[in-house]
Amino acid sequence: MKLINGATEIYLPKIEQLYEEAFPEEEKKPFSMILEREAQNTVEVLAAISEDSAREPEAFRGEAITAKYEDMVLLDYFAIDTECRGKGNGSKTLKALQERYGKQRFFLEIERTGVPAPNAEDRKRRKKFYLSNGMKQMDYYVEVRGVEMEVLTYNCEITYEEYRALYRNVYGKEIEDSIKKI
């Protein structure tokens, strides 16, 4: 799997469509905000593409949107195209992300498991996926814009204060103020 700049004429429409379909409304930031931060170089919009496809549009497998501050990288949004799921593309893409950000502290959030939710099984499956791919759960939970989340890291520790600092410096005080430790 290869990660390339997704903010291109070929991949950006696919990334935006997948973003809109894959994430619950309460978890999404305005896509225009993501693109503004991408232009400021604090967010990367990446396309995951197959290295064995000769035709660019058909090579698209998924998207990763990362937020960067100091030595930290938040995998803010990560989704594999629905037609490409269940074929190892998620694990390959996550491994490529871990390698890309290997010298930085790499982390992500998932919806909290172990609490009643209509999608409880999906949450457990998602957590199992990340843990089996080398991620580790931090010892705190957060609430982001009303959604309870777990913070998972790759070969590092992220304190709650550092976590908030990334949000403040990438997305601003309004988004940071929507976060609390639970």
Side-chain angles (χ1 to χ4, degrees), residues 73-132:
V73 176
L74 167 65
L75 178 55
D76 207 0
Y77 299 98
F78 175 54
I80 299 300
D81 188 81
T82 52
E83 294 177 15
C84 301
R85 292 180 189 159
K87 301 173 184 173
N89 290 302
S91 292
K92 289 175 191 172
T93 304
L94 185 58
K95 182 179 179 187
L97 287 160
Q98 290 165 337
E99 290 172 2
R100 179 184 186 96
Y101 300 114
K103 295 189 186 306
Q104 296 163 295
R105 293 186 293 160
F106 181 71
F107 67 105
L108 56 90
E109 309 146 330
I110 59 170
E111 292 171 305
R112 189 171 175 185
T113 58
V115 295
N119 66 343
E121 289 306 311
D122 289 338
R123 291 176 181 205
K124 289 177 191 172
R125 182 182 43 74
R126 199 171 295 123
K127 184 174 183 177
K128 183 179 178 183
F129 164 79
Y130 285 116
L131 294 177
S132 69

Side-chain angles (χ1 to χ4, degrees), residues 25 36 66 102 121 149 162 176:
E25 205 56 45
E36 287 170 13
T66 61
E121 289 306 311
M149 306 289 254
E162 291 171 319
E176 180 201 14

Side-chain angles (χ1 to χ4, degrees), residues 27-165:
E27 293 180 25
K28 290 188 283 191
K29 295 171 193 74
F31 200 71
S32 59
M33 174 188 278
I34 290 168
L35 294 178
E36 287 170 13
R37 299 319 189 268
E38 194 269 339
Q40 296 167 0
N41 204 32
T42 58
V43 164
E44 278 191 296
V45 177
L46 301 167
I49 62 168
S50 170
E51 294 187 75
D52 59 356
S53 179
R55 299 182 57 189
E56 284 191 9
E58 285 77 22
F60 182 75
R61 297 293 180 265
E63 56 93 352
I65 298 171
T66 61
K68 306 176 294 177
Y69 174 65
E70 293 183 342
D71 70 331
M72 297 178 288
V73 176
L74 167 65
L75 178 55
D76 207 0
Y77 299 98
F78 175 54
I80 299 300
D81 188 81
T82 52
E83 294 177 15
C84 301
R85 292 180 189 159
K87 301 173 184 173
N89 290 302
S91 292
K92 289 175 191 172
T93 304
L94 185 58
K95 182 179 179 187
L97 287 160
Q98 290 165 337
E99 290 172 2
R100 179 184 186 96
Y101 300 114
K103 295 189 186 306
Q104 296 163 295
R105 293 186 293 160
F106 181 71
F107 67 105
L108 56 90
E109 309 146 330
I110 59 170
E111 292 171 305
R112 189 171 175 185
T113 58
V115 295
N119 66 343
E121 289 306 311
D122 289 338
R123 291 176 181 205
K124 289 177 191 172
R125 182 182 43 74
R126 199 171 295 123
K127 184 174 183 177
K128 183 179 178 183
F129 164 79
Y130 285 116
L131 294 177
S132 69
N133 280 284
M135 303 300 289
K136 173 179 104 168
Q137 184 177 339
M138 292 286 83
D139 63 354
Y140 58 90
Y141 299 103
V142 294
E143 185 178 287
V144 182
R145 299 169 68 195
V147 180
E148 292 185 22
M149 306 289 254
E150 300 177 26
V151 177
L152 306 180
T153 63
Y154 183 69
N155 292 333
C156 68
E157 299 284 325
I158 301 287
T159 68
Y160 173 70
E161 292 74 20
E162 291 171 319
Y163 170 86
R164 281 185 64 103

